[in-house]
């Protein structure tokens, strides 16, 4: 009996060498630092699954290249703010008393990021930043420079890994996903004082001196991905994303700095969260001070 994927006509099989050649044809270079967002399913039938993609990335980047992925754990917050997995209010005190604080070696990346970030995080040689909500993992010689420090407040601001990626002229690789998944585009939100920009308080668990769970308030920007595709569409000439395929996946590769510059320009001109049509969920949330980001 055929494997179900073969029966369904899934493209493939694609092995390590084919994926490496596709990445190189797309424009990935040896020594690059690249933040990767990926739908493994979109690649088709790969020989070795996500491991094959990771090995191919490292083959294409060489020993001086660095792979970076978001490994967020936004589920580590006060249960009163949970939206996707709401629980009865009478449970909240018990959850607050015992929710384990963030441990970068234990807590998995949230499933909404796909399977690839968790695969990278679990690698023995991977490093991970210490932010309880917005951590990143990285493999390669630039990992430490990307990941540390990672301030608690405004975790996706210029003082953390996204700012480091910009300074390193990192590139953005999208495999089978859209620009709304491009985490680097949250950095311009912090850099641009667009109208109606807001921050909010998110409480996270941390270990007290006695080992018990305590709660600490953090200040984070209210973020929005709805205009990220328009930012990418505005790039022209040498700054335009390179398009191709990796396996069966639609692939986009973009230089990080022109992407951030274009986003800052667009957000300054076109974003206005003071209008209810743009952000009705922002009512009652405090303005974000520009100096703090």
């Amino acid at each position: 009996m055929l494997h179900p994927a073969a029966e369904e006509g899934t493209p493939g099989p694609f092995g390590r060498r084919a994926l490496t050649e596709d990445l190189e044809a797309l424009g990935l270079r040896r020594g690059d630092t690249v933040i990767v967002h990926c739908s493994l399913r979109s690649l088709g039938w790969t020989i070795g699954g996500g491991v094959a993609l990771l090995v191919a990335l490292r083959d294409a980047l060489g020993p001086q290249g660095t792979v970076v992925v978001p490994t967020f754990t936004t589920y580590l917050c006060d249960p009163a703010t949970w939206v996707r997995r709401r629980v009865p209010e009478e449970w909240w005190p018990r959850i607050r008393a015992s929710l384990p604080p963030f441990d970068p070696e234990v807590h998995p990346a949230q499933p909404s990021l796909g399977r690839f970030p968790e695969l990278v995080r679990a690698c023995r040689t991977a490093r991970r930043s210490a932010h309880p909500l917005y951590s990143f993992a990285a493999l390669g010689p630039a990992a430490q420079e990307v990941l540390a420090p990672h301030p608690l407040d405004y975790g996706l601001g210029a003082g953390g890994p996204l700012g480091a990626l910009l300074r390193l002229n990192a590139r953005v690789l999208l495999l089978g996903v859209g620009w709304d998944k491009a985490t680097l585009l949250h950095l311009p939100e912090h850099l641009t004082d667009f109208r109606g920009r807001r921050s909010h308080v998110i409480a996270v668990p941390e270990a007290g001196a006695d080992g018990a769970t305590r709660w600490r308030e953090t200040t984070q920007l209210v973020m929005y991905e709805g205009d990220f595709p328009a930012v990418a569409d505005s790039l022209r000439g040498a700054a335009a994303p390179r398009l191709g395929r990796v396996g069966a996946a639609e692939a986009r590769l973009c230089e990080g700095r022109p992407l951030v510059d274009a986003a800052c320009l667009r957000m300054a001109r076109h974003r206005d969260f003071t209008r209810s049509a743009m952000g009705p969920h922002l009512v009652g949330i405090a303005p974000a001070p520009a100096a703090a980001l």
Side-chain angles (χ1 to χ4, degrees):
M1 179 179 292
L2 289 175
H3 187 280
E7 291 178 347
E8 295 164 6
T10 300
F14 301 102
R16 165 184 179 175
R17 178 171 296 181
L19 295 175
T20 301
E21 290 173 352
D22 287 348
L23 290 165
E24 292 173 340
L26 185 65
L28 206 61
R29 301 180 300 249
R30 297 180 73 81
D32 277 346
T33 295
V34 60
I35 180 168
V36 181
H37 305 279
C38 172
S39 164
L40 290 178
R41 182 184 298 272
S42 73
L43 296 173
W45 176 241
T46 54
I47 305 169
V51 173
L53 174 63
L54 180 55
V55 173
L57 279 164
R58 303 194 77 181
D59 285 346
L61 294 171
Q64 296 307 310
T66 300
V67 176
V68 183
V69 291
T71 52
F72 300 165
T73 49
T74 56
Y75 54 84
L76 291 178
C77 60
D78 191 291
T81 64
W82 292 357
V83 175
R84 294 186 178 179
R85 53 169 188 160
R86 292 180 180 177
V87 295
E89 187 172 348
E90 57 268 26
W91 291 13
W92 294 356
R94 293 179 63 186
I95 293 171
R96 288 170 178 150
S98 60
L99 186 65
F102 176 65
D103 184 337
E105 296 184 0
V106 174
H107 278 98
Q110 60 198 43
S112 63
L113 298 170
R115 291 174 288 151
F116 188 68
E118 178 60 13
L119 188 154
V120 174
R121 182 203 70 82
C123 286
R124 179 179 55 84
T125 55
R127 292 179 177 268
R128 190 182 192 185
S129 65
H131 201 279
L133 298 171
Y134 299 120
S135 67
F136 291 79
L139 279 168
Q144 187 62 26
E145 186 175 355
V146 170
L147 301 178
H150 197 164
L152 186 60
D153 290 334
Y154 301 110
L156 297 181
L162 294 186
L165 288 173
L166 189 66
R167 292 190 295 274
L168 289 168
N169 294 313
R171 309 175 86 190
V172 178
L173 176 63
L174 305 179
L175 300 176
V177 297
W179 287 103
D180 60 311
K181 304 299 184 185
T183 304
L184 187 63
L185 283 171
H186 287 302
L187 178 60
E189 294 185 294
H190 292 72
L191 299 175
T192 309
D193 191 17
F194 56 84
R195 288 174 290 181
R197 186 172 63 163
R198 298 288 186 269
S199 61
H200 58 164
V201 173
I202 303 177
V204 297
E206 62 177 17
D210 57 357
T213 297
R214 300 285 186 266
W215 287 84
R216 181 173 178 178
E217 291 186 344
T218 77
T219 304
Q220 307 298 335
L221 194 71
V222 176
M223 293 174 284
Y224 173 72
E225 298 86 16
D227 53 2
F228 287 5
V231 171
D233 288 344
S234 71
L235 295 172
R236 297 288 184 271
R242 300 188 61 149
L243 307 179
R245 287 196 173 271
V246 173
E250 292 186 358
R252 301 174 178 89
L253 179 66
C254 186
E255 305 294 333
R257 185 169 293 277
L259 183 66
V260 168
D261 290 345
C264 288
L265 184 62
R266 180 174 179 82
M267 289 175 190
R269 290 179 175 177
H270 299 289
R271 270 203 182 185
D272 184 358
F273 281 176
T274 62
R275 291 188 259 175
S276 59
M278 286 291 290
H281 60 292
L282 303 180
V283 174
I285 299 175
L293 307 184

